[in-house]
Amino acid sequence: MIVQNQINALSGNLVSIPADMPYAAILGLIPSKGARSPVLWNAAFESLSVDTRMIPIDVSEQNILAMLKVLEADPHFVGGAIAAPHKDIAANFCAANLTAEAASIGAINCLFRNSSGALCGTNTDGEGSLTAFESAFGDVSQKRILILGAGGTGKAVSAYFASKLDSLDQLIISSRSNSAVILAKKLGCNSIGWSDIEKESSQVDVIINCTSLGSSLQPGLTPLEKRAFENIKADVTIYDVVYDPSETPFLLAASSFGLSSLNGLAMNFEQAVIGFHYAATNGRNDLSVDEIRSAMKSAIA
């Protein structure tokens, strides 16, 4: 009850922690308004007979550090998911206990306890995004790719897509701040200013939105105005990692021009599979991925 009171003092929604049992959580600005992670994770917990439940916790940027401290101190907390815009802050909090992937990216979207009980962080954004995209459209090695956004999600997606390209010259990153320049230097690829994306979009094979523009956090917005689609190649693929809503203004514009596109639902699903595996096994990843995936699919069928 003490921990629950501490959490509710910091959260934006009323949180009810399952009594006397382990629990997981998704931390974001408003995950209680429709995040899929609790549905997916809880289906897997039930299928695998793991006595644990995931709960959504809405937490502001001002309160996220204090919330992480409360959860870290509670041995019943097994881990969970970190949503935007808390991925960088959470990575700094877990700085001494990051996986190699997360350390190289500098942002996390998954928390888990290791075998010693320490709270650790990893990043499943990149792996989930790449798996989802290649499942839909095939190999990316020869594609010229423009990534919009260099925050926590953009860092992870850029790193994983970069690792599959024949040449780093094929990757271009842009952001509304200087973060794209910094990330591009780190990865060894190219960056352009935000005002140049309309021009550059006509020269690429894939455009990936890794910003929150058009999401439930910033509804009705788009990283690329509809007029820009008039100059995009007919065989370009538009990928929006946003999944809520499933049809953002960015994707609606792509559809109106008959372009191939993909939203973030498949990526979100793959993230959930990978993240659950970490949290449910203390990072050992020794459960059946097929069983986790099957249980989660049944929850959204």
Side-chain angles (χ1 to χ4, degrees), residues 39-225:
V39 174
L40 298 174
W41 282 53
N42 289 335
F45 281 133
E46 183 175 353
S47 176
L48 294 165
S49 299
V50 178
D51 193 23
T52 306
R53 292 292 177 270
M54 173 179 264
I55 55 176
I57 300 179
D58 300 345
V59 57
S60 67
E61 292 180 80
Q62 292 74 27
N63 289 340
I64 182 61
L65 265 180
M67 183 69 76
L68 288 169
K69 290 177 182 178
V70 170
L71 294 172
E72 180 183 41
D74 183 7
H76 287 97
F77 176 67
V78 301
I82 301 289
H86 303 322
K87 297 179 181 183
D88 291 7
I89 293 174
N92 289 333
F93 182 81
C94 297
N97 294 293
L98 295 176
T99 61
E101 296 91 339
S104 66
I105 293 166
I108 66 172
N109 71 330
C110 176
L111 294 169
F112 66 97
R113 301 275 186 185
N114 64 17
S115 57
S116 300
L119 191 62
C120 304
T122 191
N123 196 306
T124 66
D125 278 332
E127 184 176 353
S129 67
L130 184 61
T131 298
F133 187 88
E134 291 195 323
S135 294
F137 301 110
D139 180 66
V140 301
S141 61
Q142 297 182 30
K143 302 293 184 181
R144 184 171 170 83
I145 299 173
L146 172 60
I147 293 180
L148 308 178
T153 302
K155 290 174 183 176
V157 173
S158 296
Y160 270 78
F161 273 78
S163 71
K164 295 297 292 289
L165 299 178
D166 289 344
S167 169
L168 288 172
D169 283 337
Q170 297 166 227
L171 181 64
I172 307 153
I173 309 170
S174 184
S175 66
R176 291 165 285 179
S177 68
N178 194 49
S179 55
V181 176
I182 297 171
L183 178 59
K185 286 182 178 178
K186 182 177 181 179
L187 294 177
C189 62
N190 304 300
S191 66
I192 58 172
W194 193 254
S195 61
D196 296 323
I197 61 174
E198 188 170 326
K199 177 183 177 181
E200 191 65 37
S201 62
S202 65
Q203 308 298 316
V204 298
D205 305 303
V206 181
I207 303 174
I208 307 175
N209 176 40
C210 293
T211 75
S212 58
L213 295 172
S215 71
S216 57
L217 297 177
Q218 294 188 288
L221 301 180
T222 177
L224 198 61
E225 296 299 328

